[in-house]
């Protein structure tokens, strides 16, 4: 419940205060969105270079290869290849998905959906964005250092990431960049948590919040708790590199007094496993809401969905060991981690069944945001199921570090989150810019993306199962992998198709911003608080703070007359 | 007259502001706590996997200076406690806050002396895992102390014109300061004493 009502401030008048150093959560959300989309492009380009190298080893990368790699005649050199997969992972996770799902939708949706005029700490919010920019500058600067950027994988395990494995400033800048980004995200998390606890509109209990807000809230909790763990690891790694401490240097502690490289893996995954839920929870929340909105039915078991997401959040903190089965862990530990990991299937199955229950017998509107949400249901189902083989110790020992892992985590973290992000973008675009995106282009974008990414990630699972390892520059020096060249080419063609498909989105996004049809206040006919105000949302959001009288998914109520949904501000219509 | 006005201002702080800043500060402290907890976890791992501690024939440094640091930081927290109590009653106790700042600064001086002492005994950052722990952990803690001191100095300036946010800020800054004191106590006992 709202502890107080925020004042209405005057609209900012100068360019700087309106678009650059803005305190308005909606402008900061758009800044994060643009930031994320830009990095999505960079990270995607890197992915294409990786794919090209795997499909056509020794052939120059088309068109821009000569400019980027002049010394090798346009061929991606081996050391650059290592940098590419390292930075592809880093950029996509921390600089594309995090800003889009958490930075953009978190900032945009939380105040609008809970009926607040802004975040509770607007200055902290602005600082959080500009720290993220600083962090991006640090990361991109690392590419221009003499030995190039970080090349130890996105996990940056020592000794690959200590001075022994990667000399030069690149890796150090990588550590600092992620540390700064961690500070930025923690600031955001503190803001989100405090906002949701203290600024919910009068009448809005926790279970009256849309599931989108639930997802973002749980994400913020995980961020606040676990980003500092990574921060500590990165600080120690930086000290190892810069000041000569020995935290992660291998050796027997008793004689040489050195540290323990495996410790970094523990620290990294204590953060890293919650991180995958940090990325997916906002997408789950968005999809849970959108499925209900476009099926014109209340979300099936909304409370159970919220509680299932909460229990996954809690469980996600105690399963990290399943990333480390091959580190000579005690079998007692591996079995405990295996069991705990398997337990996550139960709440996952609960909300997945709830998604299907929401769709069941709904009068589904196949508009673009709904298509993308259905896409999430499909790819997340696949990604989740293939996780079981990696949670099981006996199968994981074979599949560890193969492309099966790459396929699995791309299905869950990349495909689901990306589609969820697109669903959110198409859905809230009218509220952001006051115009609609083009439906036809949106649908083309969806089908190309869907076909493309299934081609890519399904293919990856097959080659992984056949034994192809990740992170190898030219796997085909091994005779048993040479038969996989055609399949690798298929994956690369799929990637090229998918990459090209994103041009439809970029065009649609930019064109619709200026020329799209003017959006009405509530184009999707849903009842949450964000749709009770004009499109685009005015800078103060709500002239009067709304009073909430019913839940967020009151659709298809047979007692309603003349329309099939009701706003959260209306009394629930009863027979 | 001015005093009465200041007192009025302080006592008027809104219940809502208090709730919001304590929620935010508690979340922030959980974050900071996780950072130090991770460090302590690493330390525990090094400590328990080493057959002898300190490893590689190193000796533990003298407890004198770390004990002085501990004493100073406890005193500074006590000074802040009394300052907080008076603020809650609507009194402006500038000296109490100044005392905290002075004691906090002396803590930093004692840390600098400690680092110097280690160096003069030939223990450098790169002299193995125990030295790494001693240097890096105290550095990270000291960096937080510097930030907290800057916060206290800023608060000191704010005290000249108290408003309804003052008591909220005093209690938030206090939470952070006491937290850093507790972290130091844990580090002192686990790294230097045990």
């Amino acid at each position: 419940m709202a502890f107080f009502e925020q004042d209405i401030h005057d609209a900012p008048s100068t360019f700087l205060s309106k678009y650059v150093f803005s305190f308005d959560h909606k402008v900061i959300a758009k800044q994060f969105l643009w930031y994320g989309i830009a990095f999505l492009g960079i990270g995607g380009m890197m992915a294409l270079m990786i794919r090209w190298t795997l499909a056509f080893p020794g052939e120059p990368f088309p068109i821009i290869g000569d400019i980027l790699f002049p010394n090798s005649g346009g061929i991606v050199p081996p050391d650059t290849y290592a940098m590419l997969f390292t930075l592809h992972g880093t950029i996509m996770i921390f600089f594309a998905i995090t800003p889009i799902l958490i930075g953009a939708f978190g900032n945009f949706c939380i105040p609008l959906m809970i009926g607040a005029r802004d975040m509770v700490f607007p200055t902290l919010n602005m600082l959080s964005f500009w720290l993220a920019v600083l962090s991006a500058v640090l990361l991109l600067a690392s590419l221009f250092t003499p030995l190039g950027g970080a090349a130890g994988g996105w996990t940056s395990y020592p000794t690959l990431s200590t001075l022994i494995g990667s000399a030069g400033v690149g890796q150090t800048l990588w550590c600092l960049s992620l540390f700064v980004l961690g500070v930025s995200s923690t600031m955001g998390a503190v803001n989100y948590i405090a906002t949701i606890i203290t600024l919910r509109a009068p009448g809005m209990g926790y279970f009256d919040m849309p599931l989108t807000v639930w997802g973002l809230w749980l994400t913020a909790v995980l961020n606040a708790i676990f980003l500092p763990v990574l921060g500590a690891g990165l600080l120690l790694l930086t000290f190892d590199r810069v000041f000569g401490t020995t935290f992660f240097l291998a050796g027997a502690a008793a004689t040489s007094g050195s540290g323990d490289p495996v410790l970094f893996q523990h620290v990294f995954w204590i953060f890293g496993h919650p991180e995958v839920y940090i990325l997916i929870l906002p997408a789950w929340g968005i999809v849970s809401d959108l499925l209900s909105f476009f099926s014109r039915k209340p979300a099936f078991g909304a409370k159970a969905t919220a509680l299932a997401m909460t229990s996954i959040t809690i469980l996600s903190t105690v399963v990290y060991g399943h990333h480390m089965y091959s580190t000579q862990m005690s079998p007692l530990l591996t079995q405990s981690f295996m069991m705990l990991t398997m337990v996550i299937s139960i709440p996952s199955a609960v909300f997945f069944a709830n998604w299907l229950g929401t769709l069941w017998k709904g009068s589904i509107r196949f508009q673009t945001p709904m298509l993308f949400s259905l896409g999430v249901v499909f790819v997340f189902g696949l990604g989740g199921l293939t996780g079981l083989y990696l949670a099981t110790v006996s199968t994981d020992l074979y599949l560890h570090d193969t492309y099966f892992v790459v396929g699995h985590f791309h299905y869950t973290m990349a495909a689901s989150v990306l589609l969820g992000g697109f669903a959110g973008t198409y859905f809230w675009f009218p509220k952001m810019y006051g115009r609609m995106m083009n439906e036809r282009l949106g649908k083309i974008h969806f089908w190309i993306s869907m076909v493309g990414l299934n081609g890519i990630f399904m293919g990856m699972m097959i080659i992984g199962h056949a034994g192809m390892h990740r992170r190898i520059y030219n796997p085909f020096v091994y005779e048993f992998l040479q038969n996989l060249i055609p399949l690798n080419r298929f994956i690369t063609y799929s990637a090229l198709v998918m990459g090209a498909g994103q041009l439809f989105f970029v065009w649609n996004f930019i064109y619709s911003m200026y020329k799209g049809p003017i959006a009405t206040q509530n184009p999707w006919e849903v009842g949450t608080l964000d749709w009770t105000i004009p499109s685009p949302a005015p800078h103060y959001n709500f002239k009067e703070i709304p009073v909430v009288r019913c839940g967020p998914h009151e659709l298809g109520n047979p007692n309603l007359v003349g329309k099939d949904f009701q706003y959260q501000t209306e009394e629930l219509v009863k027979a | 007259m001015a005093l009465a006005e200041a007192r009025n201002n302080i006592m008027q702080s809104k219940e809502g502001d208090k709730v919001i800043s304590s929620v935010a500060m508690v979340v922030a402290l959980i974050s900071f706590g996780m950072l130090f907890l991770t460090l302590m976890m690493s330390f525990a791992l090094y400590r328990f996997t080493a057959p002898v501690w300190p490893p590689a024939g190193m000796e533990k440094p003298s407890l004198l200076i770390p004990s002085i640091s501990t004493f100073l930081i406890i005193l500074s927290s006590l000074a802040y406690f009394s300052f907080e109590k008076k603020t809650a009653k609507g009194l402006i106790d500038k000296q109490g806050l100044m005392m905290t700042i002075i004691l906090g600064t002396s803590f930093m001086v004692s840390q600098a002396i400690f680092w110097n002492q280690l160096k003069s005994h030939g223990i450098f950052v790169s002299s193995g895992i125990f030295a790494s722990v001693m240097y890096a952990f105290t550095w990270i803690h000291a960096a937080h102390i510097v930030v907290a001191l800057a916060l206290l100095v800023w608060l000191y300036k704010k005290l000249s014109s108290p408003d309804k946010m003052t008591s909220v800020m005093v209690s938030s800054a206090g939470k952070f300061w006491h937290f850093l004191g507790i972290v130091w106590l844990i580090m002192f006992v686990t790294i230097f004493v045990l």
Side-chain angles (χ1 to χ4, degrees), chain A residues 354-407:
Chain A
N354 282 351
W355 284 354
L356 301 181
T358 305
L359 291 171
W360 181 253
K361 290 191 172 175
S363 48
I364 300 175
R365 296 180 180 174
F366 287 102
Q367 281 156 311
T368 313
M370 182 59 169
L371 285 180
F372 277 98
S373 305
L374 290 171
V376 175
V377 176
F378 180 72
V379 295
F380 187 76
L382 268 178
L385 284 176
T386 50
L388 293 174
Y389 303 98
L390 299 171
T392 314
V393 184
S394 45
T395 40
D396 178 73
L397 289 179
Y398 171 73
L399 293 169
H400 185 86
D401 243 356
T402 64
Y403 258 89
F404 190 84
V405 179
V406 180

Side-chain angles (χ1 to χ4, degrees), chain B residues 2-3 13 37 40 42 46-47 55 70 78-79 81 85 101-102 109 115 122 126 136 140 151 158 160 170 174 178:
Chain B
L3 241 170
S13 74
L37 195 67
M40 294 323 290
S42 321
Y46 296 131
R47 180 79 201 247
T70 312
L78 290 178
F81 264 127
K85 267 195 178 162
I101 296 175
I102 293 171
V109 174
W115 294 325
S126 50
I140 295 173
L151 196 74
K158 276 264 174 186
S160 317
V170 167
H178 299 317

Side-chain angles (χ1 to χ4, degrees), chain A residues 258-509:
Chain A
S258 54
D260 183 357
V262 179
L263 175 68
F264 185 86
Q265 297 195 22
H266 285 280
V267 172
F268 186 86
W269 288 116
I270 289 176
F271 149 79
H273 197 78
E275 170 72 9
V276 307
Y277 289 95
I278 288 171
L279 301 174
I280 191 75
L281 273 165
W284 283 347
I286 292 174
V287 168
S288 305
D289 272 342
L290 261 50
L291 288 179
S292 153
F293 294 158
F294 288 90
S295 305
R296 314 308 296 169
K297 267 182 68 190
F300 184 86
K303 202 168 179 176
T305 306
L307 291 176
M309 293 203 297
T310 312
S311 36
I312 291 175
T313 305
I314 296 165
L315 281 173
S316 76
T317 62
V318 289
V319 299
Y320 78 92
H322 64 222
H323 296 271
M324 296 171 61
Y325 286 156
S326 58
T327 55
Q328 312 269 311
M329 215 182 230
S330 142
L332 187 66
L333 266 181
T334 54
Q335 281 172 26
S336 317
F337 277 123
M338 172 168 92
M339 197 206 70
L340 286 165
T341 309
M342 296 291 194
V343 170
I344 290 193
S345 328
I346 298 169
S348 309
V350 168
F351 77 75
F352 200 85
N354 282 351
W355 284 354
L356 301 181
T358 305
L359 291 171
W360 181 253
K361 290 191 172 175
S363 48
I364 300 175
R365 296 180 180 174
F366 287 102
Q367 281 156 311
T368 313
M370 182 59 169
L371 285 180
F372 277 98
S373 305
L374 290 171
V376 175
V377 176
F378 180 72
V379 295
F380 187 76
L382 268 178
L385 284 176
T386 50
L388 293 174
Y389 303 98
L390 299 171
T392 314
V393 184
S394 45
T395 40
D396 178 73
L397 289 179
Y398 171 73
L399 293 169
H400 185 86
D401 243 356
T402 64
Y403 258 89
F404 190 84
V405 179
V406 180
H408 158 72
F409 73 68
H410 276 90
Y411 257 120
T412 48
M413 272 163 67
S416 317
V417 179
L418 190 71
L419 294 181
F422 281 133
T425 310
Y426 282 99
F427 185 72
W428 277 292
F429 190 88
K431 200 48 80 187
M432 286 186 181
Y433 293 100
R435 288 172 187 274
M436 304 295 291
M437 285 178 86
N438 185 298
E439 274 290 314
R440 180 183 293 266
L441 285 176
K443 281 176 181 151
I444 296 174
H445 173 216
F446 169 74
W447 285 111
I448 296 181
S449 300
M450 193 67 185
V451 170
L453 63 84
N454 276 299
I456 301 168
F457 303 135
M458 192 77 80
M460 282 183 176
M461 292 218 234
I462 297 169
I463 57 174
H465 194 259
M468 185 167 133
H469 267 224
R470 62 199 283 210
R471 292 174 176 160
I472 298 177
Y473 176 60
N474 181 0
F476 312 114
V477 291
Y478 301 103
E479 205 176 320
F480 78 104
L481 291 177
Q482 277 164 5
N483 292 333
L484 295 178
I485 291 182
L487 204 46
N488 269 293
R489 295 218 166 129
F490 166 74
I491 298 173
T492 301
Y493 291 133
S494 305
L496 289 170
V497 168
M498 170 153 175
Q502 304 317 304
L503 297 177
F504 287 98
F505 171 74
V506 174
W507 167 254
N508 195 357
F509 191 88

